[in-house]
Amino acid sequence: MQIKFLGTGGAFDIDYLNSAALVSLRGKCILLDCGFTVYPTLVHKNLLHRVDYILLTHLHNDHCGSLANLLLHKHVVDKAPKPVLLYPNDQFRAQVYEFLKIQVKNPDKYVEFVPLEHFEGIKAVDTYGVHSEGLQSFAYIFEEDDRRIVYSGDLGKPDVLFDRLSRMPSLPTCVYHDITFNPENTGHTFYKKLLPYMNGVEMFGYHCDPTQNPEDNPIRLVFYQKDLLA
């Protein structure tokens, strides 16, 4: 199991690209989010062909904005098999379907929708309303070979995710959590709110401008970990 980030920035951190990652799990490659910088990044790095599965945390543009481009490229340019989009529940599937329908008219022609429960080793954490009021969002937990990777998506409060982790069997765990250095940014987790959860897990911050990182922040940023970048 491995995670490689395609970008580590937020919606306005263009220099650091939209936060997204490729997760290798059980011999498959899963694209985790597909914001507006992700499709061109995959093309420039010659990684588009690796994408077997797609998993979205939510439908903000910096997390799904180039999804249609990716699907059309696979179909029209590469003439490749349809990738599989894993969905945690039927309501989210319907939302993704309507989002894609505006752009590609017939989503079923370009992507196969499969319930997440059919893919062993991935659990979704429902974080509805925790990032943005009324918005469906998810965090994801990946497990393989007695190791665990946790990806927060976008969270204003970390409690719901770490409560779920506290009720799971103990495993070596690495948490990748969105982070903000501005306490007034309620859509993401202020870094000091993550400090109580650092015991017993490795933790890295992403979805931020790394140049704003305060000196007293003990959480390592993904941007500076070159082995975590695709």
Side-chain angles (χ1 to χ4, degrees), residues 2-143:
Q2 183 184 69
I3 186 168
K4 295 286 187 179
F5 280 75
L6 297 162
T8 62
F12 310 113
D13 302 318
I14 303 301
D15 290 341
Y16 309 105
L17 307 179
N18 298 148
S19 288
L22 294 173
V23 178
S24 300
L25 180 72
R26 303 185 186 279
K28 301 296 183 180
C29 182
I30 303 160
L31 174 63
L32 190 49
D33 278 341
C34 192
F36 53 84
T37 68
V38 173
Y39 163 71
T41 299
L42 288 167
V43 172
H44 291 154
K45 291 181 176 290
N46 194 29
L47 292 170
L48 191 61
H49 67 282
R50 290 194 55 206
V51 177
D52 302 307
Y53 292 81
I54 300 165
L55 196 57
L56 301 177
T57 59
H58 61 289
L59 293 181
H60 278 162
N61 197 36
D62 59 321
H63 294 263
C64 66
S66 68
L67 178 58
N69 301 67
L70 183 153
L71 299 180
L72 288 168
H73 187 118
K74 284 266 194 183
H75 181 82
V76 176
V77 179
D78 292 345
K79 296 182 173 26
K82 294 187 292 186
V84 172
L85 195 148
L86 301 167
Y87 61 91
N89 61 36
D90 290 339
Q91 181 183 14
F92 193 61
R93 180 200 182 279
Q95 291 176 356
V96 175
Y97 195 91
E98 288 303 311
F99 169 78
L100 286 173
K101 192 175 177 181
I102 295 169
Q103 302 174 75
V104 299
K105 190 174 181 179
N106 180 12
D108 294 310
K109 182 178 178 179
Y110 303 100
V111 64
E112 181 180 357
F113 291 86
V114 172
L116 180 61
E117 62 196 41
H118 290 188
F119 196 113
E120 186 180 356
I122 309 176
K123 297 179 176 67
V125 180
D126 190 337
T127 58
Y128 175 85
V130 183
H131 170 50
S132 181
E133 184 177 356
L135 179 72
Q136 179 64 69
S137 59
F138 295 94
Y140 292 104
I141 300 170
F142 304 87
E143 293 183 349

Side-chain angles (χ1 to χ4, degrees), residues 180-193:
T180 181
F181 308 122
N182 177 5
E184 296 180 2
N185 182 348
T186 58
H188 298 281
T189 298
F190 185 52
Y191 74 101
K192 290 185 178 180
K193 293 184 178 180

